[in-house]
Amino acid sequence: MKPENTDRPGEHWSLPPLLGETDSPEIHEIHRSILQRERLEPQEGAEPAPWWVWAVSVAVLFCMGIYLGRYGGSFKPVAHELEMGSAGAASTASARPAPNGADIFSAICITCHQAGGTGIEGKYPPLAGSEWIAKDAGIPVRIVLNGLEGPIQVKGKQFVNQMPSIGAQLEDDEIAAVLSFVRSSWGNSSGKVPTELVTKLRRETAGQGAWTADKLNAIGGKP
Amino acid sequence: MTSITKELETVEFRERLDAESAIPVLVFLASGVLWLLVGSALGIIASIKLHAPDWLATIPQLTFGRVRPAHLDVVAYGWASLAGVGCLIWLTSRLCKTPIRQRGALIASAALWNLGVLYGTGAVLFGYSQGVEWLEYPLPAAAIIAVAFLLFAWSILSTFHARQAEHLYVSLWYVIASVVWFPILFVVANLPIYSGVEHAAVNWWYGHNALAIWFTPIGLALAYYMIPKVIGRPIYSYYLSLLGFWSFALFYNWNGIHHLVGGPVPTWLQTISIIASVLMVIPVMAVAVNHHMTTIGHFKLLRTSPTLRFTVFGAMCYTAVSFQGSAEALRNTQEVVHFTHYTVGHAHLGVYAFLSMILFGSMYYIIPRVTAWDWPRPGAIRLHFWLAALGISLYFLALTIGGWLQGMAMNNPAEPFVNVVAGTRGWLILRSIGGSMMGLGHLVFAFLFFEMLWRAGPRRGASPWEDAK
């Protein structure tokens, strides 16, 4: 290999004339002095890598192998299934933990009915102390299953708005859980809502549009 | 052989290398510095809007949803990429010990690249974003940038092909690898063929890889060069360099899906990306030990060399941000920090405290060699360093603490969401202060940079606060 510069010994390589002072011998001098002050081009040293670097590497690889076995989801195309239970696919439905009413409330109802079930004056009626959830458990179950619209009196205040049907989003036991939670929180003290009631009403009210306060009163759940 | 090697190390030879790369290097660096100013302004506007939401809210082009992605794109594709390319051109010529090839292609590349960023950012601000994070630019803008990148890659690979160096120094491994990897990544990710969950997966495969196989190799290549160069001793261990590079190449590309932990992506894919993120401990440890053992005993040079000061700061932040990233990918951490400002703090520790600081450091080294002028005003360089270093520290701490608290509060079902939002306000104000300090630092730096371009400012010659006597 022949270095390219040897054929032009001693030649000056001009830096581009920049915006200010133009190229001159003086500029060469500055460039040269900068380059003279420079140190050697970097090279690779031959120290061995410290033993603990290898040790840590192997340890991390080992731990991650275990992690893969534990959380690899058997390489199935499903999300949110960290491990496959011993019963395989059949376990998915039955192995689901019992739903937590408070969690469902804060995942869904809280956006409208607010933390503490206070509602918002003139927009969303309160759940805390509401007469509609207190008496017949069938009434709030119907509201959650199919929605509610039109004028309604809650704790002496008038609301005219609409609540969407939430039936399709939640399983029967989830509706039972969230209503049991609502009926026993913030001073409310009506009993638990059984899952069977939700199942029964879901069947009976299939195809039913949103309820109105009048229709609910007619059913007899009048507060 | 040795006489040739000596020949290649002479002042005359390096003078020639610098002279031949000067114009392309300066064109790229100058564009980068201008985009840095634009990007800082956009970033500060976006930051202020988070605690003063009504400010500028009536101008559609300056609403948060547009300014924020525009900031990201400008600093990523404008500042970091262009300044990075400028530095890599110089570095490649030095390491291959041969003048840079295809200079015309480089100038065309710079022109196209600037055009692409201008067009793409304009499109984002005027509402024509693709709506995919990191890939906001409409296809034509992305295509222009892809062509610009290929021209740059052509120049680097031709130079590499014509190399006269006998040994390939570790920095060069990173440069060559990223120059081959990135165009493939960029083109594949921009193909208009994905939808749904798959699109999200490709999106984050790209988003993280933009850092992994483009920005990080730039930063590491420069750090691997600047630290031993300024100190004047070889890099500690070739074996560590090897371990660092190959484990980096093996693991980093798998990390992206950790952005979707908890999302509707197959479990195994999330798990694999978490594993790869944790395995990044290996390359990071290798690089950190290598750099630390090289610097050890020479820390006093940090006082006199701006290059070393910025670069070592950046290299230390590389270690910090990577270890943080490994921990952050775990499901338990994600439960708290996902969708919080914490993530934003992490991103800036990476792209600013690591990459941008190393870019500054390298530019302090390279620019005198391509302008034949010594940096004027050491005081201003110090000011730049402290504004940047303290600014990013404040920025990072505010978002890390504030983001963690935000995540804890969001996980508490009894806490109404608006309280959580209101609770971040103080931290966001601190972030704006940190960001503005960084912005001020950039003004100082840009002023110095343009003085160098004009060969203006006080003549200094050799004096303390300079690189290697």
Side-chain angles (χ1 to χ4, degrees), chain B residues 252-272:
Chain B
Y252 214 163
N253 159 52
W254 294 79
N255 279 16
I257 309 300
H258 69 208
H259 289 261
L260 298 173
V261 167
V265 181
T267 304
W268 66 269
L269 205 54
Q270 303 182 24
T271 297
I272 293 235

mmCIF file with all atom_site columns, all heavy atoms in Angstrom, chain B residues 252-272:
data_model
loop_
_atom_site.group_PDB
_atom_site.id
_atom_site.type_symbol
_atom_site.label_atom_id
_atom_site.label_alt_id
_atom_site.label_comp_id
_atom_site.label_asym_id
_atom_site.label_entity_id
_atom_site.label_seq_id
_atom_site.pdbx_PDB_ins_code
_atom_site.Cartn_x
_atom_site.Cartn_y
_atom_site.Cartn_z
_atom_site.occupancy
_atom_site.B_iso_or_equiv
_atom_site.pdbx_formal_charge
_atom_site.auth_seq_id
_atom_site.auth_comp_id
_atom_site.auth_asym_id
_atom_site.auth_atom_id
_atom_site.pdbx_PDB_model_num
ATOM 1   N N   . TYR B 1 252 ? -29.506 -5.119  21.046 1.00 0.00 ? 252 TYR B N   1
ATOM 2   C CA  . TYR B 1 252 ? -30.188 -3.825  21.081 1.00 0.00 ? 252 TYR B CA  1
ATOM 3   C C   . TYR B 1 252 ? -31.405 -3.795  20.161 1.00 0.00 ? 252 TYR B C   1
ATOM 4   O O   . TYR B 1 252 ? -32.446 -3.234  20.475 1.00 0.00 ? 252 TYR B O   1
ATOM 5   C CB  . TYR B 1 252 ? -29.210 -2.702  20.709 1.00 0.00 ? 252 TYR B CB  1
ATOM 6   C CG  . TYR B 1 252 ? -29.470 -1.422  21.442 1.00 0.00 ? 252 TYR B CG  1
ATOM 7   C CD1 . TYR B 1 252 ? -28.506 -0.410  21.505 1.00 0.00 ? 252 TYR B CD1 1
ATOM 8   C CD2 . TYR B 1 252 ? -30.681 -1.195  22.100 1.00 0.00 ? 252 TYR B CD2 1
ATOM 9   C CE1 . TYR B 1 252 ? -28.739 0.765   22.193 1.00 0.00 ? 252 TYR B CE1 1
ATOM 10  C CE2 . TYR B 1 252 ? -30.909 -0.023  22.785 1.00 0.00 ? 252 TYR B CE2 1
ATOM 11  C CZ  . TYR B 1 252 ? -29.942 0.951   22.827 1.00 0.00 ? 252 TYR B CZ  1
ATOM 12  O OH  . TYR B 1 252 ? -30.173 2.117   23.492 1.00 0.00 ? 252 TYR B OH  1
ATOM 13  N N   . ASN B 1 253 ? -31.277 -4.438  19.032 1.00 0.00 ? 253 ASN B N   1
ATOM 14  C CA  . ASN B 1 253 ? -32.316 -4.391  18.023 1.00 0.00 ? 253 ASN B CA  1
ATOM 15  C C   . ASN B 1 253 ? -33.632 -5.036  18.489 1.00 0.00 ? 253 ASN B C   1
ATOM 16  O O   . ASN B 1 253 ? -34.679 -4.811  17.907 1.00 0.00 ? 253 ASN B O   1
ATOM 17  C CB  . ASN B 1 253 ? -31.717 -5.051  16.776 1.00 0.00 ? 253 ASN B CB  1
ATOM 18  C CG  . ASN B 1 253 ? -32.712 -5.530  15.817 1.00 0.00 ? 253 ASN B CG  1
ATOM 19  O OD1 . ASN B 1 253 ? -33.586 -4.778  15.417 1.00 0.00 ? 253 ASN B OD1 1
ATOM 20  N ND2 . ASN B 1 253 ? -32.599 -6.772  15.426 1.00 0.00 ? 253 ASN B ND2 1
ATOM 21  N N   . TRP B 1 254 ? -33.602 -5.784  19.602 1.00 0.00 ? 254 TRP B N   1
ATOM 22  C CA  . TRP B 1 254 ? -34.816 -6.444  20.089 1.00 0.00 ? 254 TRP B CA  1
ATOM 23  C C   . TRP B 1 254 ? -35.582 -5.605  21.103 1.00 0.00 ? 254 TRP B C   1
ATOM 24  O O   . TRP B 1 254 ? -36.617 -6.027  21.610 1.00 0.00 ? 254 TRP B O   1
ATOM 25  C CB  . TRP B 1 254 ? -34.450 -7.755  20.792 1.00 0.00 ? 254 TRP B CB  1
ATOM 26  C CG  . TRP B 1 254 ? -33.867 -8.792  19.911 1.00 0.00 ? 254 TRP B CG  1
ATOM 27  C CD1 . TRP B 1 254 ? -32.587 -8.857  19.469 1.00 0.00 ? 254 TRP B CD1 1
ATOM 28  C CD2 . TRP B 1 254 ? -34.538 -9.923  19.359 1.00 0.00 ? 254 TRP B CD2 1
ATOM 29  N NE1 . TRP B 1 254 ? -32.418 -9.967  18.679 1.00 0.00 ? 254 TRP B NE1 1
ATOM 30  C CE2 . TRP B 1 254 ? -33.605 -10.638 18.602 1.00 0.00 ? 254 TRP B CE2 1
ATOM 31  C CE3 . TRP B 1 254 ? -35.849 -10.400 19.460 1.00 0.00 ? 254 TRP B CE3 1
ATOM 32  C CZ2 . TRP B 1 254 ? -33.928 -11.814 17.927 1.00 0.00 ? 254 TRP B CZ2 1
ATOM 33  C CZ3 . TRP B 1 254 ? -36.153 -11.566 18.798 1.00 0.00 ? 254 TRP B CZ3 1
ATOM 34  C CH2 . TRP B 1 254 ? -35.212 -12.250 18.035 1.00 0.00 ? 254 TRP B CH2 1
ATOM 35  N N   . ASN B 1 255 ? -35.061 -4.445  21.462 1.00 0.00 ? 255 ASN B N   1
ATOM 36  C CA  . ASN B 1 255 ? -35.600 -3.728  22.624 1.00 0.00 ? 255 ASN B CA  1
ATOM 37  C C   . ASN B 1 255 ? -36.947 -3.062  22.430 1.00 0.00 ? 255 ASN B C   1
ATOM 38  O O   . ASN B 1 255 ? -37.680 -2.831  23.376 1.00 0.00 ? 255 ASN B O   1
ATOM 39  C CB  . ASN B 1 255 ? -34.615 -2.634  23.044 1.00 0.00 ? 255 ASN B CB  1
ATOM 40  C CG  . ASN B 1 255 ? -33.491 -3.181  23.889 1.00 0.00 ? 255 ASN B CG  1
ATOM 41  O OD1 . ASN B 1 255 ? -33.269 -4.373  23.918 1.00 0.00 ? 255 ASN B OD1 1
ATOM 42  N ND2 . ASN B 1 255 ? -32.786 -2.341  24.566 1.00 0.00 ? 255 ASN B ND2 1
ATOM 43  N N   . GLY B 1 256 ? -37.271 -2.699  21.179 1.00 0.00 ? 256 GLY B N   1
ATOM 44  C CA  . GLY B 1 256 ? -38.352 -1.746  20.934 1.00 0.00 ? 256 GLY B CA  1
ATOM 45  C C   . GLY B 1 256 ? -39.688 -2.047  21.581 1.00 0.00 ? 256 GLY B C   1
ATOM 46  O O   . GLY B 1 256 ? -40.371 -1.141  22.069 1.00 0.00 ? 256 GLY B O   1
ATOM 47  N N   . ILE B 1 257 ? -40.086 -3.330  21.598 1.00 0.00 ? 257 ILE B N   1
ATOM 48  C CA  . ILE B 1 257 ? -41.442 -3.641  22.052 1.00 0.00 ? 257 ILE B CA  1
ATOM 49  C C   . ILE B 1 257 ? -41.615 -3.356  23.547 1.00 0.00 ? 257 ILE B C   1
ATOM 50  O O   . ILE B 1 257 ? -42.734 -3.373  24.058 1.00 0.00 ? 257 ILE B O   1
ATOM 51  C CB  . ILE B 1 257 ? -41.800 -5.105  21.695 1.00 0.00 ? 257 ILE B CB  1
ATOM 52  C CG1 . ILE B 1 257 ? -41.502 -5.357  20.219 1.00 0.00 ? 257 ILE B CG1 1
ATOM 53  C CG2 . ILE B 1 257 ? -43.265 -5.416  21.936 1.00 0.00 ? 257 ILE B CG2 1
ATOM 54  C CD1 . ILE B 1 257 ? -42.282 -4.475  19.269 1.00 0.00 ? 257 ILE B CD1 1
ATOM 55  N N   . HIS B 1 258 ? -40.537 -3.078  24.263 1.00 0.00 ? 258 HIS B N   1
ATOM 56  C CA  . HIS B 1 258 ? -40.734 -2.737  25.677 1.00 0.00 ? 258 HIS B CA  1
ATOM 57  C C   . HIS B 1 258 ? -41.534 -1.432  25.826 1.00 0.00 ? 258 HIS B C   1
ATOM 58  O O   . HIS B 1 258 ? -41.991 -1.121  26.910 1.00 0.00 ? 258 HIS B O   1
ATOM 59  C CB  . HIS B 1 258 ? -39.412 -2.709  26.465 1.00 0.00 ? 258 HIS B CB  1
ATOM 60  C CG  . HIS B 1 258 ? -38.476 -1.593  26.113 1.00 0.00 ? 258 HIS B CG  1
ATOM 61  N ND1 . HIS B 1 258 ? -37.114 -1.698  26.251 1.00 0.00 ? 258 HIS B ND1 1
ATOM 62  C CD2 . HIS B 1 258 ? -38.689 -0.355  25.637 1.00 0.00 ? 258 HIS B CD2 1
ATOM 63  C CE1 . HIS B 1 258 ? -36.541 -0.563  25.879 1.00 0.00 ? 258 HIS B CE1 1
ATOM 64  N NE2 . HIS B 1 258 ? -37.475 0.265   25.501 1.00 0.00 ? 258 HIS B NE2 1
ATOM 65  N N   . HIS B 1 259 ? -41.697 -0.699  24.730 1.00 0.00 ? 259 HIS B N   1
ATOM 66  C CA  . HIS B 1 259 ? -42.578 0.477   24.775 1.00 0.00 ? 259 HIS B CA  1
ATOM 67  C C   . HIS B 1 259 ? -44.048 0.069   24.823 1.00 0.00 ? 259 HIS B C   1
ATOM 68  O O   . HIS B 1 259 ? -44.917 0.897   25.041 1.00 0.00 ? 259 HIS B O   1
ATOM 69  C CB  . HIS B 1 259 ? -42.357 1.372   23.552 1.00 0.00 ? 259 HIS B CB  1
ATOM 70  C CG  . HIS B 1 259 ? -41.050 2.098   23.586 1.00 0.00 ? 259 HIS B CG  1
ATOM 71  N ND1 . HIS B 1 259 ? -40.934 3.405   23.998 1.00 0.00 ? 259 HIS B ND1 1
ATOM 72  C CD2 . HIS B 1 259 ? -39.797 1.688   23.280 1.00 0.00 ? 259 HIS B CD2 1
ATOM 73  C CE1 . HIS B 1 259 ? -39.663 3.774   23.935 1.00 0.00 ? 259 HIS B CE1 1
ATOM 74  N NE2 . HIS B 1 259 ? -38.954 2.752   23.505 1.00 0.00 ? 259 HIS B NE2 1
ATOM 75  N N   . LEU B 1 260 ? -44.329 -1.191  24.547 1.00 0.00 ? 260 LEU B N   1
ATOM 76  C CA  . LEU B 1 260 ? -45.721 -1.641  24.468 1.00 0.00 ? 260 LEU B CA  1
ATOM 77  C C   . LEU B 1 260 ? -46.043 -2.637  25.569 1.00 0.00 ? 260 LEU B C   1
ATOM 78  O O   . LEU B 1 260 ? -47.021 -3.366  25.480 1.00 0.00 ? 260 LEU B O   1
ATOM 79  C CB  . LEU B 1 260 ? -45.974 -2.278  23.097 1.00 0.00 ? 260 LEU B CB  1
ATOM 80  C CG  . LEU B 1 260 ? -45.787 -1.322  21.919 1.00 0.00 ? 260 LEU B CG  1
ATOM 81  C CD1 . LEU B 1 260 ? -45.894 -2.068  20.599 1.00 0.00 ? 260 LEU B CD1 1
ATOM 82  C CD2 . LEU B 1 260 ? -46.832 -0.223  21.957 1.00 0.00 ? 260 LEU B CD2 1
ATOM 83  N N   . VAL B 1 261 ? -45.211 -2.690  26.608 1.00 0.00 ? 261 VAL B N   1
ATOM 84  C CA  . VAL B 1 261 ? -45.484 -3.620  27.706 1.00 0.00 ? 261 VAL B CA  1
ATOM 85  C C   . VAL B 1 261 ? -46.858 -3.307  28.292 1.00 0.00 ? 261 VAL B C   1
ATOM 86  O O   . VAL B 1 261 ? -47.181 -2.151  28.549 1.00 0.00 ? 261 VAL B O   1
ATOM 87  C CB  . VAL B 1 261 ? -44.394 -3.507  28.792 1.00 0.00 ? 261 VAL B CB  1
ATOM 88  C CG1 . VAL B 1 261 ? -44.819 -4.226  30.060 1.00 0.00 ? 261 VAL B CG1 1
ATOM 89  C CG2 . VAL B 1 261 ? -43.088 -4.090  28.269 1.00 0.00 ? 261 VAL B CG2 1
ATOM 90  N N   . GLY B 1 262 ? -47.675 -4.343  28.443 1.00 0.00 ? 262 GLY B N   1
ATOM 91  C CA  . GLY B 1 262 ? -49.036 -4.117  28.943 1.00 0.00 ? 262 GLY B CA  1
ATOM 92  C C   . GLY B 1 262 ? -50.018 -3.859  27.819 1.00 0.00 ? 262 GLY B C   1
ATOM 93  O O   . GLY B 1 262 ? -51.217 -3.784  28.041 1.00 0.00 ? 262 GLY B O   1
ATOM 94  N N   . GLY B 1 263 ? -49.529 -3.727  26.599 1.00 0.00 ? 263 GLY B N   1
ATOM 95  C CA  . GLY B 1 263 ? -50.418 -3.471  25.471 1.00 0.00 ? 263 GLY B CA  1
ATOM 96  C C   . GLY B 1 263 ? -50.869 -4.777  24.823 1.00 0.00 ? 263 GLY B C   1
ATOM 97  O O   . GLY B 1 263 ? -50.475 -5.869  25.246 1.00 0.00 ? 263 GLY B O   1
ATOM 98  N N   . PRO B 1 264 ? -51.691 -4.674  23.780 1.00 0.00 ? 264 PRO B N   1
ATOM 99  C CA  . PRO B 1 264 ? -52.277 -5.874  23.176 1.00 0.00 ? 264 PRO B CA  1
ATOM 100 C C   . PRO B 1 264 ? -51.321 -6.574  22.212 1.00 0.00 ? 264 PRO B C   1
ATOM 101 O O   . PRO B 1 264 ? -51.704 -6.952  21.114 1.00 0.00 ? 264 PRO B O   1
ATOM 102 C CB  . PRO B 1 264 ? -53.494 -5.321  22.445 1.00 0.00 ? 264 PRO B CB  1
ATOM 103 C CG  . PRO B 1 264 ? -53.097 -3.939  22.083 1.00 0.00 ? 264 PRO B CG  1
ATOM 104 C CD  . PRO B 1 264 ? -52.155 -3.450  23.139 1.00 0.00 ? 264 PRO B CD  1
ATOM 105 N N   . VAL B 1 265 ? -50.072 -6.711  22.608 1.00 0.00 ? 265 VAL B N   1
ATOM 106 C CA  . VAL B 1 265 ? -49.058 -7.339  21.774 1.00 0.00 ? 265 VAL B CA  1
ATOM 107 C C   . VAL B 1 265 ? -48.775 -8.710  22.385 1.00 0.00 ? 265 VAL B C   1
ATOM 108 O O   . VAL B 1 265 ? -48.781 -8.828  23.601 1.00 0.00 ? 265 VAL B O   1
ATOM 109 C CB  . VAL B 1 265 ? -47.780 -6.481  21.802 1.00 0.00 ? 265 VAL B CB  1
ATOM 110 C CG1 . VAL B 1 265 ? -46.713 -7.083  20.924 1.00 0.00 ? 265 VAL B CG1 1
ATOM 111 C CG2 . VAL B 1 265 ? -48.089 -5.067  21.377 1.00 0.00 ? 265 VAL B CG2 1
ATOM 112 N N   . PRO B 1 266 ? -48.522 -9.736  21.574 1.00 0.00 ? 266 PRO B N   1
ATOM 113 C CA  . PRO B 1 266 ? -48.288 -11.065 22.146 1.00 0.00 ? 266 PRO B CA  1
ATOM 114 C C   . PRO B 1 266 ? -47.293 -11.039 23.303 1.00 0.00 ? 266 PRO B C   1
ATOM 115 O O   . PRO B 1 266 ? -46.264 -10.375 23.238 1.00 0.00 ? 266 PRO B O   1
ATOM 116 C CB  . PRO B 1 266 ? -47.725 -11.855 20.968 1.00 0.00 ? 266 PRO B CB  1
ATOM 117 C CG  . PRO B 1 266 ? -48.323 -11.210 19.770 1.00 0.00 ? 266 PRO B CG  1
ATOM 118 C CD  . PRO B 1 266 ? -48.490 -9.753  20.105 1.00 0.00 ? 266 PRO B CD  1
ATOM 119 N N   . THR B 1 267 ? -47.645 -11.801 24.333 1.00 0.00 ? 267 THR B N   1
ATOM 120 C CA  . THR B 1 267 ? -46.837 -11.803 25.554 1.00 0.00 ? 267 THR B CA  1
ATOM 121 C C   . THR B 1 267 ? -45.370 -12.119 25.296 1.00 0.00 ? 267 THR B C   1
ATOM 122 O O   . THR B 1 267 ? -44.483 -11.471 25.831 1.00 0.00 ? 267 THR B O   1
ATOM 123 C CB  . THR B 1 267 ? -47.406 -12.839 26.526 1.00 0.00 ? 267 THR B CB  1
ATOM 124 O OG1 . THR B 1 267 ? -48.765 -12.523 26.731 1.00 0.00 ? 267 THR B OG1 1
ATOM 125 C CG2 . THR B 1 267 ? -46.662 -12.828 27.830 1.00 0.00 ? 267 THR B CG2 1
ATOM 126 N N   . TRP B 1 268 ? -45.139 -13.120 24.454 1.00 0.00 ? 268 TRP B N   1
ATOM 127 C CA  . TRP B 1 268 ? -43.738 -13.533 24.258 1.00 0.00 ? 268 TRP B CA  1
ATOM 128 C C   . TRP B 1 268 ? -42.908 -12.409 23.650 1.00 0.00 ? 268 TRP B C   1
ATOM 129 O O   . TRP B 1 268 ? -41.738 -12.231 23.970 1.00 0.00 ? 268 TRP B O   1
ATOM 130 C CB  . TRP B 1 268 ? -43.651 -14.792 23.400 1.00 0.00 ? 268 TRP B CB  1
ATOM 131 C CG  . TRP B 1 268 ? -44.094 -14.629 21.978 1.00 0.00 ? 268 TRP B CG  1
ATOM 132 C CD1 . TRP B 1 268 ? -45.341 -14.831 21.489 1.00 0.00 ? 268 TRP B CD1 1
ATOM 133 C CD2 . TRP B 1 268 ? -43.291 -14.224 20.860 1.00 0.00 ? 268 TRP B CD2 1
ATOM 134 N NE1 . TRP B 1 268 ? -45.378 -14.581 20.145 1.00 0.00 ? 268 TRP B NE1 1
ATOM 135 C CE2 . TRP B 1 268 ? -44.130 -14.202 19.736 1.00 0.00 ? 268 TRP B CE2 1
ATOM 136 C CE3 . TRP B 1 268 ? -41.952 -13.873 20.706 1.00 0.00 ? 268 TRP B CE3 1
ATOM 137 C CZ2 . TRP B 1 268 ? -43.669 -13.841 18.470 1.00 0.00 ? 268 TRP B CZ2 1
ATOM 138 C CZ3 . TRP B 1 268 ? -41.503 -13.514 19.449 1.00 0.00 ? 268 TRP B CZ3 1
ATOM 139 C CH2 . TRP B 1 268 ? -42.349 -13.497 18.341 1.00 0.00 ? 268 TRP B CH2 1
ATOM 140 N N   . LEU B 1 269 ? -43.565 -11.596 22.793 1.00 0.00 ? 269 LEU B N   1
ATOM 141 C CA  . LEU B 1 269 ? -42.841 -10.507 22.146 1.00 0.00 ? 269 LEU B CA  1
ATOM 142 C C   . LEU B 1 269 ? -42.425 -9.472  23.193 1.00 0.00 ? 269 LEU B C   1
ATOM 143 O O   . LEU B 1 269 ? -41.295 -8.973  23.199 1.00 0.00 ? 269 LEU B O   1
ATOM 144 C CB  . LEU B 1 269 ? -43.775 -9.880  21.108 1.00 0.00 ? 269 LEU B CB  1
ATOM 145 C CG  . LEU B 1 269 ? -43.156 -9.153  19.935 1.00 0.00 ? 269 LEU B CG  1
ATOM 146 C CD1 . LEU B 1 269 ? -42.162 -10.044 19.220 1.00 0.00 ? 269 LEU B CD1 1
ATOM 147 C CD2 . LEU B 1 269 ? -44.244 -8.725  18.962 1.00 0.00 ? 269 LEU B CD2 1
ATOM 148 N N   . GLN B 1 270 ? -43.357 -9.168  24.099 1.00 0.00 ? 270 GLN B N   1
ATOM 149 C CA  . GLN B 1 270 ? -43.035 -8.234  25.177 1.00 0.00 ? 270 GLN B CA  1
ATOM 150 C C   . GLN B 1 270 ? -41.926 -8.805  26.047 1.00 0.00 ? 270 GLN B C   1
ATOM 151 O O   . GLN B 1 270 ? -40.969 -8.104  26.400 1.00 0.00 ? 270 GLN B O   1
ATOM 152 C CB  . GLN B 1 270 ? -44.265 -7.989  26.049 1.00 0.00 ? 270 GLN B CB  1
ATOM 153 C CG  . GLN B 1 270 ? -45.444 -7.462  25.268 1.00 0.00 ? 270 GLN B CG  1
ATOM 154 C CD  . GLN B 1 270 ? -46.642 -7.191  26.174 1.00 0.00 ? 270 GLN B CD  1
ATOM 155 O OE1 . GLN B 1 270 ? -46.499 -6.983  27.362 1.00 0.00 ? 270 GLN B OE1 1
ATOM 156 N NE2 . GLN B 1 270 ? -47.830 -7.188  25.596 1.00 0.00 ? 270 GLN B NE2 1
ATOM 157 N N   . THR B 1 271 ? -42.057 -10.097 26.373 1.00 0.00 ? 271 THR B N   1
ATOM 158 C CA  . THR B 1 271 ? -41.073 -10.711 27.264 1.00 0.00 ? 271 THR B CA  1
ATOM 159 C C   . THR B 1 271 ? -39.689 -10.694 26.637 1.00 0.00 ? 271 THR B C   1
ATOM 160 O O   . THR B 1 271 ? -38.696 -10.363 27.280 1.00 0.00 ? 271 THR B O   1
ATOM 161 C CB  . THR B 1 271 ? -41.509 -12.148 27.593 1.00 0.00 ? 271 THR B CB  1
ATOM 162 O OG1 . THR B 1 271 ? -42.748 -12.088 28.284 1.00 0.00 ? 271 THR B OG1 1
ATOM 163 C CG2 . THR B 1 271 ? -40.480 -12.850 28.453 1.00 0.00 ? 271 THR B CG2 1
ATOM 164 N N   . ILE B 1 272 ? -39.645 -10.999 25.353 1.00 0.00 ? 272 ILE B N   1
ATOM 165 C CA  . ILE B 1 272 ? -38.343 -11.017 24.676 1.00 0.00 ? 272 ILE B CA  1
ATOM 166 C C   . ILE B 1 272 ? -37.713 -9.641  24.672 1.00 0.00 ? 272 ILE B C   1
ATOM 167 O O   . ILE B 1 272 ? -36.504 -9.485  24.871 1.00 0.00 ? 272 ILE B O   1
ATOM 168 C CB  . ILE B 1 272 ? -38.532 -11.503 23.224 1.00 0.00 ? 272 ILE B CB  1
ATOM 169 C CG1 . ILE B 1 272 ? -38.942 -12.956 23.252 1.00 0.00 ? 272 ILE B CG1 1
ATOM 170 C CG2 . ILE B 1 272 ? -37.296 -11.252 22.404 1.00 0.00 ? 272 ILE B CG2 1
ATOM 171 C CD1 . ILE B 1 272 ? -38.104 -13.870 22.472 1.00 0.00 ? 272 ILE B CD1 1
#
